[in-house]
Amino acid sequence: MAGDHLNEDLQKNLAAFLNSSPDCILVCDAQSLRYLYVNQATCDMTGYSRDELLAMTAPDLTGQSPEVIQESYRQARLAGERGYTDEPRLIVNKGNSRRGWWEGHFGYQVIDGRDVVVIVSREVTRRVLAEQSATRSRQIYAALSAANEAMIRLSSPDEVFQAVCDAAIDSGGMTTAVLLMPKPGSDLMEVKAMAGYGRDVMGSTIISINPDRAEGTGLNGTAFRTQRPCVTDDFLKDQRTAHWHRMVRDRTKLRSAASVPIIREGRSVGTMYLCSRERRAFDEEIIGLLVRLTDNIAFALKAFEREQVRREAEERAHYLATHCSLTGLPNRNLLSDLLEQAIASVNRTGHKPALMFVDLDNFKQINDTWGHDTGDRVLEQMAGRLRCVLREHDVLARLGGDEFVVLVQNIDRHEYAQRVAEKLLAAAQDPVQVDGQPLVVTLSIGVSLYPHHGENHRALMKSADLAMYEAKEKGKNTWALSGDDKQWDSASEIMR
């Protein structure tokens, strides 16, 4: 009798202990998958009464298929006395008012000839969320590293924008990554780069930075104006994103989103917009990493701008060193280089260059009479006229003062040099108009031919210069070949 009484007390105490446990404890028939016992914690967690639970099967309660549950039970049987612990699962209660992660431990027993599974399920929501956050942090760290590496090796802002979006998807675990900037002269934002899911949605989405427009009240517009990150943990229930709910609901599985401003020198220049299929994907640590990422984007933009300024200054310095500041024509330095290149290519192309020195007759008188400003405008107009009668690949240069030089890139017959010289003379026939004042300008042209009048650029320049003075001695407004005019015949023979 004492033994029976002790057994009854033990059973009562055991039942009380099981009911007081904070863990869910269930006993399930391994064959029928019906529950044989549930403790009070199971009722509290699920929202079902004990009678309701005992009338249910494991698939009814968990939403899993019988095959999945039987596989868990099989694993428990194979594990023996130590049992089997399954991966945490997201469980929702009866009224959908509570959801959390629960980890189940399964032990297989035979009781009174019946195969049963004892399930002890413990809530691990905090642990799972911490693990998920740590995983996301590692992913964003990886994305930050990949983006920084891209910024070092890429050579344009657009390349960097796309690399950052790609890194957010490939390394950061995001569903969608978009970089947005305002359109010039508009309050609308445009996509500068994008990676991941939802291109069709973004292609038809209007986003503004204007708070007076519905399209400007969302995460991106707010982040841009406030210069602070904007986060939503439930996109489809957030009133800030209400304007886009209908568009997103049927076309994406968006759960959470964040917009982080890109700030340069105290002002917003764009936003980095990220989306995830997970809720609570953007905690403080993740946002802190994303702020670092956008800061690095701003730094890269500044570096590109400095490099662009440096390159433009370098190009400008090179241009000024090789071109006439008044007419924009090549100067003596560049002409010498181009002439040397033309001579060097003769053996390869068979085309021989000709050089023509062009001097404006009586230009000093125009300067003295009308002033240097008028003289400069005459030079500008004459440069335009001479350039118009030349072929695109011929070169017109200005040496200084009223001296121009024409490099005719290929003279297969000497008659062509003559035609070019006559075209240049014809270009100056009409008076130059400056402030309504007609000014008569004529040309004296000296011609030298390669290789008859020189085999290098210095010799050709000297020969053409001397020929130009011969043209002046002939009465100006004409051209002359280097040396005696009779040399046309011998030059012709050389070129054939």
Side-chain angles (χ1 to χ4, degrees), residues 182-183 185-190 204-222 225 239-244:
K183 294 180 181 179
S186 170
D187 64 1
L188 298 180
M189 301 189 81
E190 61 181 343
S204 57
T205 298
I206 298 175
I207 299 174
S208 174
I209 59 175
N210 185 351
D212 296 329
R213 298 180 56 163
E215 298 88 347
T217 60
L219 303 184
N220 286 289
T222 303
R225 291 190 303 274
Q239 288 303 308
R240 295 173 299 175
T241 61
H243 180 76
W244 298 275

Side-chain angles (χ1 to χ4, degrees), residues 41 46 52 60 82 85 117 129 155 191 213 236 243 360 377 381 402 414 443-444 458 463 486:
T46 63
E52 287 177 316
D60 295 334
R82 69 179 183 274
T85 301
V117 177
L129 294 180
S155 58
V191 175
R213 298 180 56 163
L236 292 177
H243 180 76
L360 276 59
R377 295 176 66 180
Q381 290 192 43
D402 59 349
H414 76 282
L443 309 178
S444 293
R458 289 186 180 86
S463 296
K486 295 179 180 178

Side-chain angles (χ1 to χ4, degrees), residues 12-311:
K12 290 180 180 179
N13 289 334
L14 179 61
F17 171 77
L18 294 177
N19 273 325
S20 66
S21 171
D23 296 334
C24 297
I25 301 174
L26 307 91
V27 179
C28 185
D29 185 286
Q31 301 300 319
S32 67
L33 304 185
R34 288 191 173 275
Y35 293 111
L36 306 175
Y37 170 83
V38 295
N39 69 345
Q40 186 59 43
T42 304
C43 299
D44 295 340
M45 188 276 291
T46 63
Y48 293 101
S49 68
R50 182 174 276 105
D51 290 340
E52 287 177 316
L53 288 169
L54 295 178
M56 298 172 70
T57 65
D60 295 334
L61 178 61
T62 66
Q64 298 172 296
S65 68
E67 292 76 18
V68 170
I69 292 174
Q70 287 170 347
E71 176 59 22
S72 298
Y73 293 178
R74 187 182 74 83
Q75 293 291 340
R77 185 172 64 250
L78 294 176
E81 292 183 358
R82 69 179 183 274
Y84 163 70
T85 301
D86 199 2
E87 293 293 326
R89 298 184 182 278
L90 186 64
I91 303 297
V92 181
N93 70 354
K94 179 180 179 181
N96 291 321
S97 60
R98 179 182 177 186
R99 46 194 295 128
W101 292 91
W102 292 76
E103 183 179 75
H105 181 80
F106 299 83
Y108 204 92
Q109 301 287 332
V110 179
I111 300 176
D112 294 334
R114 174 183 286 187
D115 293 345
V116 298
V117 177
V118 179
I119 307 149
V120 179
S121 186
R122 174 169 297 176
E123 185 172 13
V124 292
T125 301
R126 289 185 179 181
R127 191 192 83 195
V128 170
L129 294 180
E131 290 173 350
Q132 290 178 343
S133 178
T135 299
R136 286 193 293 268
S137 295
R138 288 194 299 271
Q139 290 174 326
I140 296 299
Y141 266 117
L144 182 62
S145 176
N148 289 343
E149 181 181 345
M151 292 178 197
I152 293 173
R153 60 182 173 81
L154 296 177
S155 58
S156 73
D158 288 342
E159 288 179 321
V160 168
F161 296 158
Q162 189 59 54
V164 169
C165 290
D166 290 340
I169 300 300
D170 299 337
S171 303
M174 294 294 139
T175 303
T176 304
V178 189
L179 198 144
L180 297 147
M181 287 186 170
K183 294 180 181 179
S186 170
D187 64 1
L188 298 180
M189 301 189 81
E190 61 181 343
V191 175
K192 304 298 289 187
M194 179 177 179
Y197 184 79
R199 291 181 181 274
D200 56 333
V201 175
M202 288 305 301
S204 57
T205 298
I206 298 175
I207 299 174
S208 174
I209 59 175
N210 185 351
D212 296 329
R213 298 180 56 163
E215 298 88 347
T217 60
L219 303 184
N220 286 289
T222 303
F224 186 92
R225 291 190 303 274
T226 64
Q227 299 187 353
R228 297 176 62 85
C230 286
V231 178
T232 178
D233 289 329
D234 196 338
F235 189 95
L236 292 177
K237 292 184 179 180
D238 196 317
Q239 288 303 308
R240 295 173 299 175
T241 61
H243 180 76
W244 298 275
H245 286 176
R246 183 177 58 82
M247 177 182 294
V248 170
R249 182 178 289 109
D250 299 331
R251 301 167 73 178
T252 70
K253 297 180 179 179
L254 177 61
R255 294 293 183 271
S256 57
S259 179
V260 183
I262 303 170
I263 302 173
R264 273 199 60 195
E265 299 175 348
R267 65 183 185 90
S268 295
V269 296
T271 59
M272 185 76 186
Y273 181 54
L274 299 164
C275 303
S276 175
R277 288 190 174 95
E278 299 178 14
R279 286 189 172 87
R280 296 180 295 275
F282 301 97
D283 58 23
E284 289 186 8
E285 183 177 6
I286 299 297
I287 290 299
L289 293 172
L290 293 175
V291 169
R292 285 176 55 185
L293 178 59
T294 55
D295 286 345
N296 290 347
I297 294 173
F299 179 81
L301 289 174
K302 188 174 182 179
F304 281 127
E305 186 176 279
R306 286 199 302 264
E307 176 60 20
Q308 180 65 22
V309 170
R310 185 201 64 78
R311 187 181 299 114

